[in-house]
Amino acid sequence: MFSTKQNFMLGGAFFVAVFGLVAYQSLRKTTCADDAHTVLVLVDFTDQIGDDARGAMKDHVWRIIEAAPDFSKIIMRPVMGLDGAGQMMVSSPVQACRGEKPGPGTGFKGPAKKARESWAQFKSQICGATQGDALDLSCGHSDRGASFFEGKYAKSFTSPILEEITGNVSRFISTTNGSWDLVVATDWKQNTPNLNLESQSCDSRQSIDLSRIPTLVAPNEKPLSASNDQARKSTVTSLFLLRQSMTDAEANCLESRVAQRFLLTHLGPSSVVAPPVFHR
């Protein structure tokens, strides 16, 4: 038999334990909030992407996602054009909550085990499944199964790259006070009535008019802005998918006259990362 004092102490300890558990569960987020950091990934599928380029691109994108804050929103969209009938090809976005990344000292039992299992499932969702969902297998490893990056789409007869960027950024990234990482994987070979760089090579001597491309804001308003919180950084990364038929001169022209100019003028990013080159 326990005394009244012992019963009171046990009851108090039980209350503290239950309260602590409830507080822990309420503080431990399991979903992404509306104002969470956003990682928006746009991949140009208007032309074929080779296996080597796809693997390198996946690894690069995964490193950006992996470095994002816990419980970031991940949104992945294909860039597609018009089909043979002149209709815009449409695909639903892949959306996920990044969740909590296990740290180097994270254990393998209890909540730590659940965090590791959730992380493995998330990596499989983004990079493609692998037998046993091995955490140490790179995102671009050839043993991984199909994912968003292995998407198969019908042949596109246009490449509305710039319009797709502005449209998706307007839809998925806050233009007021959000923080974000924008990743664009493309060859920047725009092909629409507003700007056709498919019928002729990009040349540093020619005039390239980007003024007809839709912008995110009115001319006199502020461009896309990053969070005022210095701890939440925003970046733009251009991953250049170089075509085999491109010369170095054309690639440099597309990078400087189209990609850099468009991103800085139309999006106003806080930083544009120098693009690595992946051969399609």
Side-chain angles (χ1 to χ4, degrees):
M1 296 279 301
F2 291 110
S3 67
T4 303
K5 183 177 180 181
Q6 287 174 316
N7 283 333
F8 177 79
M9 291 176 66
L10 287 171
F14 175 76
F15 173 79
V16 170
V18 170
F19 178 80
L21 178 62
V22 171
Y24 171 77
Q25 291 296 341
S26 65
L27 292 173
R28 183 176 178 272
K29 297 185 295 182
T30 55
T31 57
C32 293
D34 291 339
D35 62 346
H37 183 92
T38 300
V39 180
L40 175 60
V41 180
L42 307 177
V43 178
D44 181 2
F45 285 102
T46 60
D47 202 18
Q48 289 188 343
I49 304 173
D51 291 339
D52 290 344
R54 186 184 295 109
M57 174 181 61
K58 288 174 69 172
D59 279 334
H60 199 98
V61 170
W62 174 251
R63 285 194 293 272
I64 293 171
I65 293 174
E66 194 175 26
D70 284 347
F71 303 99
S72 294
K73 293 183 290 186
I74 311 300
I75 303 170
M76 312 180 83
R77 292 276 290 172
V79 172
M80 300 183 294
L82 303 180
D83 61 19
Q87 300 296 314
M88 177 63 74
M89 295 186 286
V90 180
S91 177
S92 299
V94 174
Q95 301 192 55
C97 180
R98 208 214 68 167
E100 182 180 2
K101 179 185 176 183
T106 304
F108 293 88
K109 294 182 180 180
K113 180 182 178 183
K114 289 186 177 180
R116 286 186 177 277
E117 290 172 347
S118 296
W119 185 255
Q121 292 170 2
F122 170 74
K123 189 171 184 179
S124 295
Q125 181 180 0
I126 299 299
C127 303
T130 184
Q131 189 171 3
D133 292 334
L135 285 173
D136 58 345
L137 203 61
S138 69
C139 187
H141 198 285
S142 58
D143 284 349
R144 284 197 173 272
S147 68
F148 162 81
F149 297 95
E150 282 77 27
K152 303 294 183 185
Y153 301 98
K155 178 178 173 54
S156 173
F157 288 83
T158 59
S159 296
I161 298 162
L162 306 184
E163 289 87 349
E164 284 284 296
I165 293 172
T166 54
N168 279 284
V169 168
S170 297
R171 178 178 174 185
F172 295 110
I173 289 183
S174 169
T175 58
T176 53
N177 195 36
S179 63
W180 34 265
D181 293 302
L182 171 63
V183 185
V184 182
T186 177
D187 57 16
W188 294 99
K189 197 85 168 163
Q190 171 83 4
N191 176 19
T192 61
N194 286 334
L195 178 62
N196 186 351
L197 297 174
E198 188 69 46
S199 60
Q200 59 180 341
S201 296
C202 183
D203 190 306
S204 58
R205 295 165 295 182
Q206 73 183 101
S207 174
I208 299 177
D209 183 11
L210 299 181
S211 64
R212 298 176 65 187
I213 306 300
T215 58
L216 293 174
V217 294
N220 295 326
E221 292 182 8
K222 217 174 149 184
L224 184 66
S225 58
S227 171
N228 292 326
D229 183 353
Q230 293 302 307
R232 297 178 65 179
K233 301 297 183 182
S234 297
T235 65
V236 176
T237 302
S238 168
L239 306 181
F240 200 108
L241 299 178
L242 184 68
R243 293 189 188 182
Q244 291 183 347
S245 58
M246 278 184 190
T247 63
D248 289 343
E250 183 181 14
N252 291 333
C253 178
L254 288 167
E255 180 188 333
S256 60
R257 301 288 305 284
V258 181
Q260 297 282 353
R261 207 171 120 216
F262 172 80
L263 291 173
L264 289 169
T265 302
H266 286 251
L267 302 186
S270 55
S271 61
V272 178
V273 180
V277 176
F278 304 130
H279 293 263
R280 275 190 181 270

